[in-house]
C-alpha cells in the first residue's frame, strides 16, 4: 500500500460525501490536492493542503473546510489525532496497528516492495551515454551511464514501459579523426616507426588493436594510398572496434541498452532530409541572418544567410542553424531527425541524459521535439555534471591507456562496479560529484555506500543469529508476515516502520521527477534508523532483536529486521547494486 495515495483517495471520498450532502460545492477541481508528510514530523504522520487549495472554489474560509474534513477523518479507524494548523493545513496521526499492518505489506512483497502502476505502461525512451565512438569510456561517461541506467530501472519499477537507447555519434569530423588515428596505428602495425602522435589525432594505446586488425584484414593494401581511398573502410572498422570496447566498458559497470541507433544510418537513409522537409512544410524553416552572440562579438563573427529552424517559436532563446557553411547538415539537424524517429517508434515521452557540456542544447532540442510532434511529444533533458576524481583529496593522474583521461574501466577495476554505481547516485545529477578512491571504501557512516550495505549485512546477521539460537522455530518470510506485530510499539520501532512504509511513495515521486538520487538518501535514512535501533538494543537489553525468553516479541522484531533488508534490497536493485550478506 502507498499510504499517501490511500489517504488521498480517502480525502477525495470525504469531499465527495460533503458535496453530496450540500456542505461543499460539487465538481471541485482536486488537481492540486496533495497528501504528504508534514514538514515537521512532530506535527503528525500525514498532512493535506485540501482546505487551502479548495477555499476559492468553495467560497469558504480554509479553516471551515478543514473542520469539515477533520470531523470525517476523526471517524477513520486508523486515525488517532487530527489537528488544524495555521490557516487550514490538516495534520493527522495514525495508530500503531495501522503501521504494523504496513510492515506486513513489505514482507508480503519482499524486494518487489514499492513496485507501482503509476506509470500505466506509458512508453518512455531513455537515451544515455551516447558517447562518440572514438575511444574508451571515461569517468564522466560513467556518471551518465549509471544515472541513465538507474533512471530506466526506476521508471520500470514505477510501471512505465522503458526502452534504453544509445545514440552512436558516428558521423562527422570526430570519426574522421578516429580513422586517421587508426590508420597511423595501422602503419605502425606493419612495422613503420610513426614517432610521436601528431597534434589533433587520438594518442591512446587503445587504437593499437584497431591498427593491427586493419593490417590483419587488408595487409599493406592502404599503405601510401590517398586518404580518399582508405578513409571509409578504415573508419568503419575503427568505429566497430570502438563500439566493441565501449560495450565491454559498459558491461563492466553493469549497464545495458536495448537499442543502438547510428547517426550515420540516419544520414544514409535520408531521414534528416525527410524530417526537415516536414518542418519546412509547416513553415518552421527559413533562410535568415542571426544576430551576433550576446556580449562581446567574436573576431570571426560574420553575418551570413543561413538555413534556420524557428526554435524561438517553441520557447528557445533564438532560432537555430541547420546547415554548416559547406552545406552539410549540423549535428542539431541530425538530432531533430533522430528524435522524430524515436517519436515515430512510439515514444512520445523521451529523456536524454547528456554531459556537462550540453547545457546550451536543452532548449533547442525541447523546441524541436515540440515542433516535430505537434506538441504531442515531451523531452526531458538531464545534464550530468562533472566527476572530480580524487585519492585522499588529491587529484588523480591521467590514464596511460587513454592518453588523456581516466577511463571508466580504471575506476571499476579499482573499487568495483557496485561502489561506482552507488556513488554516482549520491548527488543530484546537476551537481558536481567528488569521487575519492580512499573515501568510497572507507568503513564509516560518512561513506553512504558502506553505511547502507552495512545495514543490509547487519539485518542478515541478526536473522542468521536468530536461526542459530532457535528462539523461534519458523523464520520463513511467510511466518514473519503472519506474526503478531503488536509488540512493536517502541517509538523508534514505529518510526522505522513509518519510514519503510514511505518507500512506495518515494519510488513514485522519484520516478515522476526523474531523480534516482532520492533513493540513495532514503536508503541512507533507513540505514541510520536501523543502526540506531540496533545500538539501543546494546544499551537496553529489552530492545534487543532476539530475546531468549520472549518468542513473540522476537518474531515481531525479526519481521521488522527482514523488512529493512527487503527495502534496502529493493533500492539497491534499482541502482543495479548487489546487496551484501556480510561485510568482511
Amino acid at each position: 500500500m502507498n499510504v499517501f495515495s490511500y489517504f488521498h483517495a480517502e480525502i477525495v471520498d470525504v469531499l465527495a460525501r460533503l458535496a453530496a450532502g450540500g456542505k461543499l460545492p460539487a465538481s471541485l477541481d482536486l488537481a492540486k490536492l496533495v497528501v504528504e508528510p508534514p514538514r515537521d514530523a512532530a506535527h503528525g504522520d500525514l498532512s493535506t493542503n485540501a482546505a487551502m487549495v479548495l477555499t476559492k472554489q468553495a467560497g469558504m474560509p480554509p479553516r471551515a473546510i478543514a473542520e469539515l474534513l477533520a470531523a470525517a477523518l476523526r471517524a477513520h479507524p486508523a486515525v488517532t489525532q487530527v489537528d488544524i494548523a495555521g490557516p487550514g493545513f490538516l495534520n493527522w496521526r495514525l495508530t500503531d496497528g495501522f503501521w504494523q499492518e504496513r510492515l506486513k505489506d513489505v514482507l508480503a512483497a519482499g524486494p518487489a516492495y514499492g513496485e507501482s502502476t503509476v506509470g500505466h505502461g506509458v512508453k518512455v525512451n531513455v537515451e544515455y551515454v551516447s558517447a562518440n565512438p572514438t575511444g574508451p569510456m571515461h569517468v564522466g561517461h560513467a556518471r551518465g551511464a549509471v544515472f541513465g541506467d538507474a533512471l530506466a530501472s526506476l521508471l520500470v519499477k514505477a510501471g512505465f514501459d522503458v526502452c534504453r537507447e544509445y545514440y552512436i555519434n558516428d558521423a562527422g569530423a570526430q570519426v574522421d579523426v578516429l580513422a586517421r588515428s587508426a590508420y597511423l596505428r595501422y602503419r605502425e602495425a606493419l612495422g613503420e616507426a610513426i614517432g610521436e602522435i601528431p597534434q589533433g589525432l587520438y594518442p591512446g594505446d587503445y587504437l593499437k588493436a584497431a591498427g593491427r586488425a586493419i593490417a590483419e584484414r587488408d595487409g599493406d593494401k592502404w599503405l601510401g594510398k590517398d586518404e580518399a581511398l582508405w578513409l571509409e573502410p578504415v573508419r568503419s572498422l575503427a568505429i566497430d572496434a570502438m563500439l566493441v570496447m565501449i560495450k565491454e566498458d559498459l558491461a563492466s559497470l553493469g549497464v545495458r541498452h536495448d537499442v543502438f541507433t547510428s547517426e550515420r544510418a540516419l544520414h544514409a537513409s535520408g531521414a534528416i532530409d525527410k524530417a526537415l522537409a516536414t518542418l519546412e512544410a509547416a513553415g518552421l524553416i527559413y533562410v535568415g541572418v542571426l544576430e551576433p552572440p550576446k556580449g562581446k562579438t567574436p573576431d570571426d563573427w560574420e553575418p551570413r544567410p543561413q538555413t534556420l529552424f524557428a526554435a524561438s517559436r517553441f520557447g528557445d532563446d533564438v532560432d537555430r542553424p541547420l546547415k554548416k557553411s559547406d552545406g552539410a547538415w549540423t549535428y542539431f539537424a541530425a538530432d531533430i531527425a533522430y528524435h522524430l524517429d524515436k517519436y515515430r517508434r512510439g515514444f512520445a515521452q523521451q529523456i536524454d541524459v547528456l554531459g556537462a557540456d550540453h547545457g546550451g542544447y536543452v532548449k533547442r532540442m525541447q523546441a524541436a521535439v515540440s515542433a516535430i510532434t505537434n506538441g504531442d511529444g515531451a523531452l526531458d533533458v538531464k545534464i550530468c555534471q562533472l566527476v572530480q576524481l580524487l585519492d585522499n583529496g588529491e587529484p588523480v593522474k591521467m590514464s596511460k591507456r587513454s592518453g588523456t583521461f581516466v577511463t571508466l574501466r580504471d575506476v571499476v577495476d579499482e573499487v568495483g562496479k557496485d561502489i561506482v554505481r552507488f556513488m554516482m547516485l549520491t548527488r543530484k545529477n546537476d551537481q558536481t560529484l567528488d569521487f575519492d578512491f580512499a573515501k568510497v571504501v572507507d568503513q564509516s557512516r560518512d561513506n553512504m555506500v558502506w553505511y547502507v550495505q552495512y545495514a543490509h549485512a547487519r539485518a542478515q546477521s541478526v536473522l542468521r543469529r536468530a536461526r542459530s539460537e532457535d528462539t523461534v522455530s519458523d523464520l520463513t518470510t511467510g511466518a514473519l508476515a503472519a506474526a503478531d506485530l503488536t509488540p512493536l510499539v517502541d517509538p523508534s520501532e514505529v518510526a522505522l516502520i513509518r519510514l519503510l512504509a514511505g518507500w512506495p511513495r518515494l519510488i513514485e515521486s522519484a520516478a515522476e521527477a526523474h531523480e534516482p538520487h532520492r533513493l540513495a538518501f532514503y536508503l541512507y535514512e533507513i540505514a541510520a534508523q536501523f543502526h540506531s535501533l540496533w545500538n539501543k538494543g546494546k544499551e537496553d537489553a529489552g530492545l534487543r532483536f532476539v530475546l531468549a525468553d520472549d518468542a513473540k516479541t522476537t518474531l515481531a522484531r525479526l519481521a521488522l529486521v527482514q523488512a529493512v533488508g527487503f527495502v534496502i534490497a529493493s533500492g539497491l536493485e534499482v541502482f543495479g547494486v548487489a546487496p551484501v550478506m556480510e561485510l568482511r
Side-chain angles (χ1 to χ4, degrees), residues 367-407:
V369 169
S370 180
I372 60 179
T373 66
N374 293 316
D376 183 52
L379 172 66
D380 185 17
V381 181
K382 311 302 285 190
I383 300 293
C384 286
Q385 285 299 331
L386 300 175
V387 177
Q388 299 181 136
L389 279 181
L390 308 168
D391 193 359
N392 274 319
E394 296 296 322
V396 174
K397 294 181 180 180
M398 300 301 181
S399 164
K400 291 182 180 179
R401 177 170 177 263
S402 71
T404 55
F405 52 79
V406 178
T407 67

Side-chain angles (χ1 to χ4, degrees), residues 180 182-194 211 223-224:
R180 295 182 186 109
Y183 182 75
L184 189 67
R185 295 298 189 179
Y186 158 71
R187 288 162 48 197
E188 181 183 42
L190 291 175
E192 184 177 331
I194 61 173
L223 282 183

